[in-house]
Amino acid sequence: MNNNVKGLSFVLILVLMMSIVSVPVSAASETKDNIVNKSYELQESVKQIQFTLEGKKSFSSRIILPDGKIIENKKSTEIKDKDGSYWVSSYSLTPAAKGTYRFEIITKEIMYFNLKVEIPLFSDIANHWAKDAISEFVKKGVVNGKSKGVFAPDAKVTGEELTKMLVMALSDENDQGNRQWARAFRWKVLDEEIKRSMGLAEYQFITKSGEHWSTPYIAAAKDLNVMKWSDPALKSSFKRKDVALLLYNIMQLTTDQEISVKTYNDTSKLSNDYQKAIALVSQFSIFNGYKDGTFRPDQDVTRAEAVIVLKRLIQYLLN
């Protein structure tokens, strides 16, 4: 082989080596955007609502309204305080139509984003005895108002409303914007198979076209095998005995201790399941009877009462 051929061969080999090396270097230098999805379902139109997204680093976002319209890429703003800094992006809508609000968060790296929802206090809870608990649950997205500016605390709670509150209160959002059963809750579940399936389950709670709003929440509750009512029955107001039974079914996932039967003047003719349920929720002061020794099992439960008993249940399960 002459010197010219040798030189050409060396150049070709060098070019090939440079080509091979340059591909991964170029790819490694690119930072791919990630999209994190979050959503919030507003069941009734309100005069005003404010959504605030919070993250540890800079991001941009957009919101897709229930009618499909899009408020495009809004860049986050850095907020500094004594504990460091974080980034926020807020959307204020006046008015806000009922439906699902979807957020697409564009970020350079996967991280957790918090979605805060601020709805002006309802006019009918200003002096209500359950005002603080209601406000807390509304801000957390556990429960919504009944209509524009009205919470209706003394209205009867339906089974499907209670189921949604229960599922939302016992679940948290993960980094991808889906909801999962709260870790503190599932770690206390005694059945290992149920515990394992709870850890793998993820929910979006977005209603499909033509689907009733409560369907995804009821489906999630059925995954825990705690639903003992037909779908039509869940659309009716829930009696005190039914609320007690739903709470009992959840509590039974985490405890196997003997129940100290508490006797009420008006529960002896109920089925054994109802009696055990009422005894357990009373034993832990989650849902008590009245001073006159009655439980009033067939009395309707109000939306405010539902919030209070669920708050007590959460304290029992998660603390």
Side-chain angles (χ1 to χ4, degrees):
M1 183 179 294
N2 61 40
N3 291 334
N4 289 336
V5 174
K6 287 181 179 179
L8 181 58
S9 299
F10 176 75
V11 170
L12 287 172
I13 292 170
L14 182 60
V15 169
L16 285 170
M17 289 177 65
M18 290 176 65
S19 299
I20 293 170
V21 171
S22 66
V23 171
V25 170
S26 174
S29 65
E30 295 179 0
T31 303
K32 184 180 179 182
D33 285 338
N34 297 287
I35 297 179
V36 175
N37 296 292
K38 298 182 84 71
S39 65
Y40 181 84
E41 184 182 348
L42 185 64
Q43 290 189 14
E44 296 292 340
S45 301
V46 295
K47 293 181 180 179
Q48 182 180 12
I49 192 169
Q50 180 166 314
F51 298 105
T52 302
L53 293 165
E54 295 181 347
K56 291 183 177 180
K57 294 185 179 180
S58 176
F59 63 91
S60 61
S61 61
R62 69 176 187 167
I63 179 173
I64 304 171
L65 305 180
D67 61 4
K69 292 181 180 178
I70 298 173
I71 301 177
E72 282 287 356
N73 296 323
K74 188 171 185 179
K75 292 185 177 180
S76 59
T77 302
E78 185 178 15
I79 303 295
K80 294 183 178 181
D81 59 23
K82 63 180 181 179
D83 297 321
S85 64
Y86 59 99
W87 298 76
V88 302
S89 187
S90 297
Y91 298 85
S92 184
L93 304 176
T94 307
K98 72 175 182 179
T100 301
Y101 291 77
R102 294 187 290 121
F103 300 84
E104 291 185 352
I105 305 166
I106 299 91
T107 174
K108 294 298 182 184
E109 57 185 276
I110 293 293
M111 70 183 89
Y112 177 77
F113 290 91
N114 185 39
L115 172 62
K116 289 184 176 179
V117 182
E118 295 287 341
I119 301 175
L121 286 178
F122 301 100
S123 60
D124 57 348
I125 68 168
N127 299 310
H128 198 276
W129 57 271
K131 178 185 71 173
D132 292 342
I134 291 171
S135 298
E136 177 186 340
F137 269 30
V138 168
K139 289 178 180 179
K140 289 181 177 179
V142 173
V143 64
N144 299 107
K146 196 71 172 173
S147 60
K148 293 182 180 179
V150 174
F151 183 80
D154 299 319
K156 300 172 184 178
V157 71
T158 64
E160 59 184 351
E161 288 175 335
L162 182 63
T163 301
K164 181 196 171 181
M165 292 185 214
L166 180 71
V167 169
M168 292 298 290
L170 288 175
S171 61
D172 296 321
E173 276 195 352
N174 60 23
D175 292 344
Q176 284 72 45
N178 298 326
R179 294 194 76 87
Q180 289 184 292
W181 297 110
R183 183 177 299 177
F185 170 39
R186 66 176 189 260
W187 277 0
K188 292 183 178 179
V189 172
L190 302 177
D191 188 298
E192 290 298 327
E193 185 175 343
I194 295 176
K195 183 187 295 185
R196 186 164 47 253
S197 64
M198 288 173 68
L200 297 173
E202 294 188 13
Y203 307 95
Q204 290 189 331
F205 298 134
I206 297 175
T207 307
K208 298 176 183 177
S209 177
E211 191 175 57
H212 189 61
W213 70 264
S214 66
T215 299
Y217 303 102
I218 294 172
K222 285 181 177 179
D223 285 348
L224 300 183
N225 196 30
V226 298
M227 301 305 297
K228 309 298 181 183
W229 300 265
S230 64
D231 288 352
L234 290 170
K235 292 179 175 63
S236 302
S237 59
F238 248 30
K239 309 297 182 183
R240 285 172 57 85
K241 64 183 181 183
D242 293 309
V243 173
L245 184 57
L246 181 56
L247 301 180
Y248 170 81
N249 291 340
I250 290 289
M251 294 170 71
Q252 281 294 95
L253 294 173
T254 66
T255 182
D256 56 0
Q257 69 181 63
E258 291 293 327
I259 301 171
S260 301
V261 178
K262 184 174 180 62
T263 303
Y264 289 100
N265 301 336
D266 53 356
T267 59
S268 60
K269 294 183 180 180
L270 296 176
S271 69
N272 190 48
D273 284 346
Y274 277 132
Q275 290 193 54
K276 287 194 299 183
I278 292 169
L280 185 64
V281 297
S282 298
Q283 181 176 328
F284 288 95
S285 297
I286 292 173
F287 197 20
N288 298 314
Y290 293 89
K291 291 181 179 180
D292 63 359
T294 63
F295 186 79
R296 305 177 194 176
D298 292 312
Q299 181 173 293
D300 291 321
V301 175
T302 67
R303 284 164 53 82
E305 289 171 336
V307 168
I308 293 298
V309 296
L310 281 181
K311 184 174 181 179
R312 292 173 184 164
L313 176 69
I314 302 311
Q315 291 172 341
Y316 165 79
L317 290 174
L318 305 187
N319 295 333

